[in-house]
Amino acid sequence: MTLSARNVSWGVGNVPILKNVSLDVRGGEFLGIIGPNGSGKTSLMALFAGIRKPKSGDILLDGEPIGALGRREVARRLALVEQQAETGERITARQAVELGRTPYLGALSPWSANDEAIVDTVLANVDMTHLADRSWHTLSGGERQRLHIGRALAQQPGILLLDEPTNHLDIGHQIGLLDLVRRQELTVVAALHDLNHAAMFCDRIAVLHSGQLIALGTPRDVLTPTRIRDVFGVDAAIDRHGADGCSIRYLRPEKQKALVS
């Protein structure tokens, strides 16, 4: 399953947010999107999900314009986990995950034992089985985020879109959930703040800066000291390990000044 942006631009009023972005997401890859706040990451994710329409250009899902597809059809192919998604409904943790099965239900397709089994598996995978009967409004922000990811996995999409999915999670659940997603047989596009998460889990990384795509490649190719300094305004050292691995060590401000002097 593939997803593409073709010369996509989008903005608010006369303020451009994304400028002529072209990007092909390969089937089965984990693609990370990084960039500073305001670079257009969330806007691009919304365009990929079909929530927003580009002012120019096209978003293609399996080669078809996403705007030409019905919402149910899109929901059967891709799922989005947003940064913040709340509900005023009085539902349980389990019912929140059950919402992921909605695209498959109808008058001729009622809730089944298969749906039940999928929800059971997902709750276990996101470590929420023990809280399945708890009210949504009694859960912490991190627990709710795990359920949002669970709802998306229950949707059984071919493509999973994650907009800063580790917000509100402790480090153990951050790594655990990204590892869980990485092990699924899915095409994954994730907007990430943590560059080390991008280096650890992504096959390729796209860098957005001021609404433009300025780099695309493997973590080792993209995450260089010069690019991190130019895009994020900090100095860093890159540790390389193994054939493809790398990790980032940020330098304290006094060390940055020492390097300049």
Side-chain angles (χ1 to χ4, degrees):
M1 196 166 285
T2 60
L3 188 62
S4 301
R6 291 281 185 269
N7 304 116
V8 165
S9 296
W10 186 83
V12 179
N14 294 323
V15 179
I17 305 298
L18 290 170
K19 308 167 189 174
N20 200 37
V21 173
S22 291
L23 175 64
D24 290 317
V25 184
R26 299 169 181 167
E29 79 169 331
F30 194 128
L31 175 70
I33 300 177
I34 65 171
N37 289 340
S39 61
K41 300 189 300 297
T42 292
S43 297
L44 181 58
M45 298 298 284
L47 291 172
F48 272 150
I51 295 173
R52 294 173 178 164
K53 295 180 180 180
K55 290 196 171 183
S56 62
D58 293 295
I59 299 293
L60 305 178
L61 178 57
D62 288 336
E64 301 178 77
I66 196 169
L69 300 172
R71 292 308 305 165
R72 182 180 290 264
E73 180 61 29
V74 172
R76 288 179 175 181
R77 299 195 202 181
L78 65 78
L80 169 67
V81 177
E82 300 178 84
Q83 288 185 47
Q84 299 288 339
E86 293 301 331
T87 177
E89 301 295 326
R90 302 190 67 81
I91 60 174
T92 65
R94 183 182 187 85
Q95 288 168 334
V97 174
E98 288 174 351
L99 291 173
R101 302 303 300 157
T102 302
Y104 303 96
L105 303 178
L108 300 179
S109 304
W111 187 266
S112 68
N114 181 58
D115 297 305
E116 200 77 17
I118 290 169
V119 172
D120 285 339
T121 299
V122 166
L123 283 168
N125 283 343
V126 297
D127 192 24
M128 288 296 288
T129 301
H130 63 297
L131 296 177
D133 296 326
R134 283 270 299 273
S135 169
W136 173 268
H137 298 287
T138 68
L139 299 169
S140 70
E143 289 163 345
R144 292 181 187 184
Q145 187 69 348
R146 280 187 270 159
L147 290 172
H148 285 312
I149 293 175
R151 184 267 310 158
L153 293 177
Q155 208 168 314
Q156 292 192 310
I159 299 173
L160 182 60
L161 306 177
L162 304 172
D163 189 8
E164 297 179 14
T166 55
N167 281 0
H168 312 299
L169 300 182
D170 60 57
I171 187 62
H173 281 109
Q174 288 178 27
I175 299 298
L177 278 174
L178 289 173
D179 182 61
L180 169 67
V181 170
R182 186 73 174 84
R183 289 186 281 107
Q184 307 301 305
E185 294 182 359
L186 294 172
T187 301
V188 179
V189 183
L192 299 169
H193 258 315
D194 191 313
L195 301 188
N196 277 309
H197 286 171
M200 188 181 302
F201 292 103
C202 296
D203 299 305
R204 292 191 301 157
I205 296 173
V207 184
L208 289 178
H209 189 43
S210 299
Q212 296 180 301
L213 179 65
I214 64 166
L216 176 64
T218 66
R220 286 183 69 151
D221 290 340
V222 167
L223 297 174
T224 65
T226 299
R227 182 165 288 118
I228 291 171
R229 183 186 310 114
D230 291 345
V231 173
F232 296 95
V234 296
D235 283 294
I238 309 299
D239 295 326
R240 300 183 181 276
H241 42 83
D244 303 306
C246 68
S247 56
I248 299 97
R249 288 185 293 113
Y250 300 106
L251 303 180
R252 288 164 52 182
E254 57 266 30
K255 292 188 178 180
Q256 293 179 22
K257 293 176 183 177
L259 286 178
V260 174
S261 60

